[in-house]
Amino acid sequence: MKWIVAALSFALVTSGSAWAQAYPTKPVRLIVGGLPGTAPDIIARIVAPSMTESMGQPLILDNRGGGAGLLGAQITAAAAPDGYTFLIVGGGSLVIVPYLTKKPPYDPVGDFTPVTLVSLAPLVLASNLELPVKSVQELISLSKAKPKDLLYGTPGVGGIHHLTVEMLNRAAGINLMHVPYKGGPPAVIDAIAGRVQLVITTVIPLSPHLKASRLRGLAVTSAKRTNVFPDLPTVAESGVPGFESHQWFGIFAPKSTSAAHRDRFYKEVRKATDKPGATAILDQEGQLLAVNGPKALNEFVRTETAQWTKVISQLVAAGAIELR
């Protein structure tokens, strides 16, 4: 009898091992929370060829633009947790957008399995050349002298750009006034023309205008300086200690996805981003590679959620935004 039990146990172990090694046995879908050419799409296209080769199965990119990544997240939340559906999306879809709605279409914490952070993208605060400031400290002083006189443009209400400046308002005790636009480029154009004095967006829309001296860079919002503009200080360096904000992009799976499938996908992402050229492409896009794994991403999401829900609550209480 003992040898029968031992044989059965061995069979179960070896069959389980073989099953784990066999995964994946069919194409894997990576839902991209953005249209072609957006940051999540660019990252997905960096890793897809290498992951397809390494996994032995195609990594199929499924672009689902709309709702600031909300649509892609909603589809992922409803997908089967079988290890064949993953999501790459901007962090706002999980730590900002759901908290701006009265009835979010998914639970931003309970409906997803964190896989890994991929990259961080600092925001850049820039000014019109006619504004008599050359640093964040000078901006704070001018704003205190002229409360509500200075306008800043962003790509829209309730996004990371808007919330970042509102966090700066509270940290510095100032009142820069928000002017939302339908995207970053129109806000940049109006800042150059002087219709708003300030603009905040990611590196790419601002880069040619900063290099051509059509706008003046004041600071980046991340904890570290960006490789694209290494001479541009951070907001924290500029006299607002502890200030940090950035866009970020991470990979998630539906809730209840097995740890084995999650970990295999994470390892494949890490292998793909470790290859020569991946970091260089992200640098060109104004992003910093930050692959960190499931546990670290889980803690990161909790920290980000606490930070941004606090800002959202303050804005709602002040009547500055309304929940949709």
Side-chain angles (χ1 to χ4, degrees):
M1 178 63 73
K2 289 183 178 180
W3 70 267
I4 294 176
V5 172
L8 286 172
S9 298
F10 178 76
L12 287 170
V13 170
T14 55
S15 64
S17 176
W19 176 84
Q21 291 173 356
Y23 169 82
T25 59
K26 62 181 182 179
V28 179
R29 177 171 65 152
L30 179 59
I31 295 174
V32 180
L35 296 171
T38 58
D41 179 72
I42 290 169
I43 296 169
R45 292 180 191 281
I46 291 173
V47 302
S50 175
M51 291 181 66
T52 292
E53 179 182 359
S54 181
M55 292 190 301
Q57 292 289 341
L59 181 64
I60 306 297
L61 304 186
D62 183 3
N63 288 81
R64 298 298 181 118
L70 188 146
L71 176 59
Q74 190 173 359
I75 293 170
T76 304
D82 57 5
Y84 288 93
T85 298
F86 292 86
L87 167 73
I88 182 166
V89 74
S93 302
L94 296 183
V95 302
I96 293 176
V97 175
Y99 301 100
L100 292 170
T101 61
K102 295 177 182 178
K103 295 182 178 180
Y106 50 82
D107 180 345
V109 175
D111 282 348
F112 301 94
T113 298
V115 177
T116 185
L117 186 68
V118 181
S119 66
L120 302 172
L123 306 179
V124 179
L125 180 64
S127 72
N128 175 272
L129 297 180
E130 300 300 318
L131 192 69
V133 302
K134 294 184 179 180
S135 69
V136 169
Q137 273 302 315
E138 290 181 2
L139 173 64
I140 291 171
S141 297
L142 181 62
S143 181
K144 287 181 176 179
K146 298 182 177 181
K148 298 186 179 183
D149 279 6
L150 303 183
L151 308 178
Y152 72 93
T154 77
V157 175
I160 184 67
H161 315 79
H162 176 200
L163 298 187
T164 295
V165 178
E166 292 303 326
M167 187 167 68
L168 176 61
N169 274 341
R170 282 153 182 76
I174 57 178
N175 196 3
L176 304 173
M177 304 299 292
H178 185 217
V179 179
Y181 289 83
K182 292 183 178 179
V188 171
I189 290 170
D190 268 14
I192 293 171
R195 287 183 279 271
V196 293
Q197 288 77 43
L198 301 157
V199 63
I200 184 168
T201 187
T202 48
V203 170
I204 297 304
L206 280 170
S207 182
H209 304 294
L210 295 179
K211 291 177 179 178
S213 298
R214 289 188 285 268
L215 287 169
R216 179 183 297 117
L218 299 181
V220 293
T221 63
S222 49
K224 297 180 179 179
R225 298 188 182 197
T226 172
N227 293 334
V228 180
F229 294 106
D231 293 333
L232 203 58
T234 67
V235 174
E237 287 178 306
S238 304
V240 188
F243 191 94
E244 181 178 357
S245 172
H246 35 239
Q247 281 192 330
W248 57 268
F249 303 94
I251 295 176
F252 298 83
K255 66 178 179 181
S256 302
T257 297
S258 74
H261 291 160
R262 175 203 66 192
D263 291 347
R264 172 69 189 281
F265 201 83
Y266 158 57
K267 289 175 182 176
E268 294 294 345
V269 171
R270 177 168 284 283
K271 282 197 295 185
T273 53
D274 280 345
K275 289 200 169 185
T279 300
I281 295 172
L282 289 174
D283 275 349
Q284 292 172 5
E285 295 296 320
Q287 298 186 47
L288 175 67
L289 188 66
V291 178
N292 64 356
K295 184 177 179 180
L297 176 56
N298 185 58
E299 292 303 313
F300 182 78
V301 168
R302 291 184 184 279
T303 300
E304 287 281 292
T305 299
Q307 174 172 295
W308 296 120
T309 52
K310 179 180 178 180
V311 177
I312 290 169
S313 296
Q314 292 170 337
L315 290 174
V316 170
I321 58 174
E322 294 183 1
L323 298 182
R324 297 189 286 269

